[in-house]
Amino acid sequence: MRSPFSDPFERMNLTICAGALATSLALAPASFTVSLGIGALLEAVSFRALRRATQQLFSSQIGGSSAWSALFGLRFLFLGAAMFVALKAGAHPIGLVLGLSTIVPAVIIVAIRTPVPQAPERDDPVPAPDDPSWDEWNPWLARERDPEEREDEL
């Protein structure tokens, strides 16, 4: 079974959340710290659901964009309901929002640290700019033109 924190985004988010909670515990009232922890928990669950739905969409396990949009909306509905319940229960609004926001620096830090994959070397040379084979390429769709497209243009 995969570790719950095998994802680099989740590990960085856990690190930032732990630092924020430790700082809040030392400098802020207990209600603020509890609200920060609730917000961090809500965003961790929400982010994990978003990552799972996105991975399923890109691996074609989810039927299409409409199903993904429904899951995306449902995730926001549950997040909004959980925030409403937390605020009605007396959570500190700023602590809740700060806890919900810890994913932003985590994603930025991991994105900066992750090396960009290099494109493999091409065996075939790129044609010269005046080569007629460029007429067979559709730059708007980044693929070769269909024969039907060629007939429409003529």
Side-chain angles (χ1 to χ4, degrees), residues 63-143:
S65 61
S66 60
W68 191 81
S69 298
L71 285 173
F72 192 73
L74 192 61
R75 182 181 66 89
F76 271 119
L77 181 70
F78 284 134
L79 182 62
M83 287 174 56
F84 178 77
V85 168
L87 288 171
K88 283 296 181 185
H92 194 285
I94 296 174
L96 190 63
V97 169
L98 285 176
L100 286 165
S101 302
T102 56
I103 194 64
V104 176
V107 168
I108 291 171
I109 291 168
V110 171
I112 289 171
R113 286 182 172 180
T114 304
V116 178
Q118 299 297 317
E121 292 294 323
R122 295 176 54 108
D123 293 336
D124 54 336
V126 177
D130 58 346
D131 191 303
S133 66
W134 285 110
D135 294 335
E136 301 298 322
W137 184 257
N138 185 339
W140 298 106
L141 299 177
R143 62 176 170 84

Side-chain angles (χ1 to χ4, degrees), residues 16-56:
I16 291 173
C17 287
L21 285 170
T23 304
S24 175
L25 191 61
L27 302 174
S31 63
F32 184 87
T33 304
V34 169
S35 299
L36 182 74
I38 291 170
L41 179 66
L42 289 175
E43 69 82 16
V45 170
S46 177
F47 183 72
R48 179 171 280 211
L50 176 66
R51 293 261 311 181
R52 178 173 289 158
T54 304
Q55 288 171 345
Q56 289 175 352

